[in-house]
Each structure stands twice: as structure tokens, then as C-alpha cells.
Amino acid sequence: MTQFLLLVALVISLASAINISYADIYKCVLPDGQILFQTRCPLNALSANKQTLRAISPIGFAPYTAQTLSVGKQVIINGDFEQGATAWVTMKGSMDIQPKEGIASTNALVLKADGSTDNEHLVRQCLPVQGMSRARIDAFVKKEGGTADTSELRVVSFTSNDCTSGGQYSAKLTPTEISGWQKLSHENIKPTLGAQSIMVEIKHLDKTNSEATSALWDHITLTVTALDNTASNLSAETLNTPPLGVNYLSNPSLDQHLAGWNLAWPGQWVEYGGQSLSGGALITANSNVSHTLQGEALNQCVNIGTHTHFEARAAFKKDALSSQRGYGELRIVWHQEVNCQGLQRVAGSTKSSDSAHWQQLQVSVNNTLKARSATISLTQAILGVGVYAAFWDDISFKATQ
């Protein structure tokens, strides 16, 4: 469970730092036999197998009882804790319901750490969200001691109906260092494309092990602010559907310029930077921190029409003048609506090795979620302080069925 908690913290930290909203989890087996659960495995890992959350740690939720959602509906059960711990599941440590300690002198959820090694607490609730496209969460909390990240409230959506698989982190709320009650809010929460359930999780983790800390929680609400309205959009049959085998991308060869591509990290067109001394893109990542940073190098949005199976390719080569290690990643993201709008979900990805030779990155994906557009995303990661530059060329996204 400790590994799982560390994993959750890592995923949310990365999502917050680079504005991603997905959380594929891998079981990494290292050369010395050590097993880690991480969003990405180290380059020297012997194996990397994608896991469901249930495979790592049984969450214990039964499938929810389906209910009709509407704009303005509040879906959290017993968010004021007036029914004690009803509907909340303790996954780690323990929780206490204290009368007259709430924001209106009513009940409150209390999580405490006494300064010993047994100082981790996780409390969760699983809820239905099928048909919801946006929501708002509000909560009141009162902190007593601990660091900035001792207490957190997290929102994770799932494609399963019992909060066990297909997880995507949607929000993290962290109290500030002030005394007394404070209100935490997060608007425009978007579940993953195809989501059926959502988990609200309260964490209390005092890493210092040096003092007693506590947090009181009260009046937690998750309110539906928008419903899925894709049924009113144009049908997929009315959209552009290129023939099988035709490249959907604009300017895929990058032979003369980078037109058609969106750039995030510093990049430039290089006349002889591509394969066979053709034009290509050179993307440079600079970092002054010791941990891994990942960012988008190039991306392009395409409407996909009625096809269901696709293949993406890209040529990648590390610049030999780089002072730090890193890698490139080819990623496909489905979008609910045309022009890469609406809910989204990562469809598939593949990453390079740390090599200064040309590599062919390839990923095949199926459109089982009835997405109407896709982002072809080329990202780079730098593994520490320094510079990591790389060349990209000959990118394709084609329908195979």
C-alpha cells in the first residue's frame, strides 16, 4: 500500500506540473528484482506491464447504483458526515467522526497523525458520473500542523463503473497554511472520455513523523455543472473520412517548415535535421531541476470520421550534443467532439530509448469510445538538470480499418 500511495502522489504531482490528465500505471521490474508501480518505468526496467488500480490494491467498491444525473445535482453521499462514516471507505489508517467539530458545530471527519510511522490515512467514495461532462467540487477543511501537502482532496474518474480501472486524475485540492476553516473549490472538473464512475479521495500523510497533525473535513459536495451534449452534434458520417491508408496529418514530412504543427517547448525547423538529410524539427528541453520533466514538443489535431482502427508513426533521434538523458514519446489522445473538443482520453503511446540514432516510434489504437477527433502528440522528457534536444521527422496517422 505504501508503494500505491507513493504512486498516487507521483501521478498527481506530474499531472499538476505538466498539465496532463491521464494516469496509466505500470508494474516495473528492475534488474535487482525490485518492483515499482509508476506512471513510467525506468529505462533499465526488465519489464513494464500496465496495471489496473485493482491489480495494485483492491479498492473494495461495489458497482454504484445508477441514478439520473442533472445539472445542479449534488452526487456526494453524506458529505456533511451527519450520518457518520456512511458511504465512505477507509483504505488506509483510520478515520474519526467528531460531533460539534464541523464548520457549523455539526459532525466533521477527522484524520490524525500522532508523529509515529503509522501516519497515513486514505478515505474514499465512489460515485456514478455517466453522462456528466463537467462538475464542481467544494469542501471545507481545517488543518492543524503538517506541511503544505499533508492534507489533500483528490478527484479521479474511471471508465469502469466501480472506480477500479481506466483511472484519470481530474483535480487535486490542497489547503493553504492558514489557521481555522478554509473553503477549497475546483471548477470545470472534466471526467475522462467514457467515464462511468468517479472517486473522491481524502488523504492525510505526514511525512515528517515528528509531530502530531490533524485535519478536519466537512461539507464536501460534487455538483454536476454540465451534461454530455454530443448527441446534438453532427453525426460522424457527415465528417471528413479520408480513405484507408491516407495520412490525416498536414505537413507530415516537415521537409520545408513546421506549418500545421503546434509547438510547446522551444523548437525550430532544421534543413538537414530529418531522415536522409531532409528537413525536420529540432526540439530542445532545458531543465534546472533534478527530477524528470516532460512536455509537449509538437502536436496536431485531426477529425477522424467513421474509421475505427488507426496507426501512428514518427521518426525520432536524440541530438548527440545533449548534456542530459531523456526520451521522446508518441501519444494519441481521443477527443469526444470534433476539432479536439470535449472530454478526452489517452488512446495509446510508445516511447523511445536514449539513443542518438534514428528510431521508428509506432502505436496502434482502436476507437472504441466513439471519439470524433484525435490529437497526435509528440512529447519529450528530460531526466534531470541539463539540456535534452531531439529531432522529429516523417510523422503519420492513418486509418487501417
Side-chain angles (χ1 to χ4, degrees):
M1 181 58 75
T2 299
Q3 290 175 331
F4 177 71
L5 292 172
L6 292 174
L7 161 67
V8 172
L10 172 63
V11 171
I12 296 179
S13 174
L14 288 174
S16 176
I18 61 177
N19 194 28
I20 62 176
S21 56
Y22 57 90
D24 290 333
I25 298 170
Y26 294 85
K27 179 180 180 181
C28 315
V29 180
L30 304 187
D32 62 0
Q34 182 182 7
I35 296 176
L36 302 174
F37 292 101
Q38 298 185 171
T39 53
R40 287 181 175 80
C41 291
L43 296 177
N44 65 340
L46 299 179
S47 65
N49 299 314
K50 186 181 291 188
Q51 305 286 300
T52 64
L53 289 178
R54 172 174 285 167
I56 299 171
S57 173
I59 292 181
F61 288 125
Y64 62 77
T65 300
Q67 55 179 295
T68 302
L69 299 182
S70 59
V71 174
K73 183 178 181 63
Q74 199 288 112
V75 296
I76 291 275
I77 302 171
N78 188 32
D80 57 7
F81 304 101
E82 292 307 296
Q83 301 175 50
T86 298
W88 295 94
V89 178
T90 303
M91 291 306 303
K92 179 72 174 180
S94 61
M95 63 174 168
D96 186 21
I97 304 298
Q98 289 288 343
K100 299 183 179 181
E101 294 292 333
I103 191 169
S105 297
T106 52
N107 286 358
L109 168 70
V110 183
L111 302 178
K112 299 179 180 180
D114 60 9
S116 69
T117 56
D118 185 18
N119 61 357
E120 301 172 3
H121 306 276
L122 276 180
V123 179
R124 297 171 173 165
Q125 185 172 145
C126 183
L127 300 157
V129 295
Q130 191 168 17
M132 182 180 79
S133 59
R134 286 198 310 275
R136 171 191 173 99
I137 193 164
D138 296 282
F140 287 88
V141 62
K142 182 167 68 172
K143 275 189 62 175
E144 297 177 347
T147 59
D149 60 351
T150 297
S151 302
E152 292 177 353
L153 188 149
R154 303 159 174 170
V155 181
V156 188
S157 60
F158 298 83
T159 54
S160 66
N161 68 352
D162 57 357
C163 297
T164 59
S165 61
Q168 172 176 299
Y169 287 85
S170 301
K172 179 182 75 170
L173 286 73
T174 304
T176 57
E177 296 298 315
I178 63 174
S179 60
W181 285 99
Q182 56 184 292
K183 184 177 182 180
L184 306 180
S185 299
H186 196 296
E187 298 184 12
N188 202 32
I189 292 176
K190 295 182 179 180
T192 182
L193 177 61
Q196 297 189 60
S197 59
I198 202 164
M199 180 175 73
V200 175
E201 176 182 74
I202 303 171
K203 183 215 77 170
H204 189 77
L205 171 59
D206 184 4
K207 300 177 182 179
T208 63
N209 294 332
S210 61
E211 61 178 351
T213 63
S214 65
L216 286 76
W217 294 86
D218 197 7
H219 287 283
I220 303 172
T221 60
L222 182 71
T223 306
V224 179
T225 56
L227 297 174
D228 183 356
N229 62 355
T230 55
S232 63
N233 293 340
L234 293 174
S235 66
E237 286 74 11
T238 68
L239 305 177
N240 178 39
T241 304
L244 296 177
V246 172
N247 197 343
Y248 277 62
L249 298 173
S250 172
N251 187 27
S253 64
L254 307 176
D255 281 346
Q256 297 182 344
H257 45 66
L258 301 182
W261 292 93
N262 300 309
L263 280 74
W265 279 7
Q268 59 181 320
W269 179 76
V270 182
E271 184 175 2
Y272 300 109
Q275 296 187 107
S276 303
L277 298 181
S278 63
L282 174 63
I283 308 297
T284 303
N286 292 275
S287 176
N288 59 2
V289 297
S290 59
H291 57 266
T292 298
L293 289 180
Q294 185 175 16
E296 199 156 39
L298 302 162
N299 74 73
Q300 189 172 144
C301 172
V302 295
N303 296 325
I304 60 177
T306 58
H307 295 309
T308 57
H309 303 275
F310 299 83
E311 180 180 272
R313 295 173 180 264
F316 175 85
K317 183 178 74 169
K318 170 187 175 180
D319 187 348
L321 298 179
S322 299
S323 63
Q324 179 57 265
R325 298 174 66 199
Y327 57 83
E329 184 170 5
L330 169 63
R331 181 184 301 133
I332 308 303
V333 181
W334 293 138
H335 296 270
Q336 180 184 33
E337 303 173 12
V338 297
N339 302 323
C340 297
Q341 299 296 309
L343 304 181
Q344 64 183 54
R345 178 161 187 82
V346 175
S349 63
T350 184
K351 66 181 182 181
S352 73
S353 61
D354 188 52
S355 171
H357 300 285
W358 282 106
Q359 304 171 58
Q360 303 302 314
L361 306 184
Q362 177 180 337
V363 60
S364 298
V365 293
N366 297 324
N367 181 17
T368 59
L369 298 175
K370 298 182 180 180
R372 296 185 175 178
S373 57
T375 295
I376 290 74
S377 173
L378 313 177
T379 69
Q380 282 178 214
I382 181 170
L383 303 186
V385 176
V387 177
Y388 181 78
F391 298 95
W392 294 89
D393 195 17
D394 296 333
I395 309 151
S396 67
F397 181 74
K398 301 177 180 180
T400 58
Q401 186 175 329

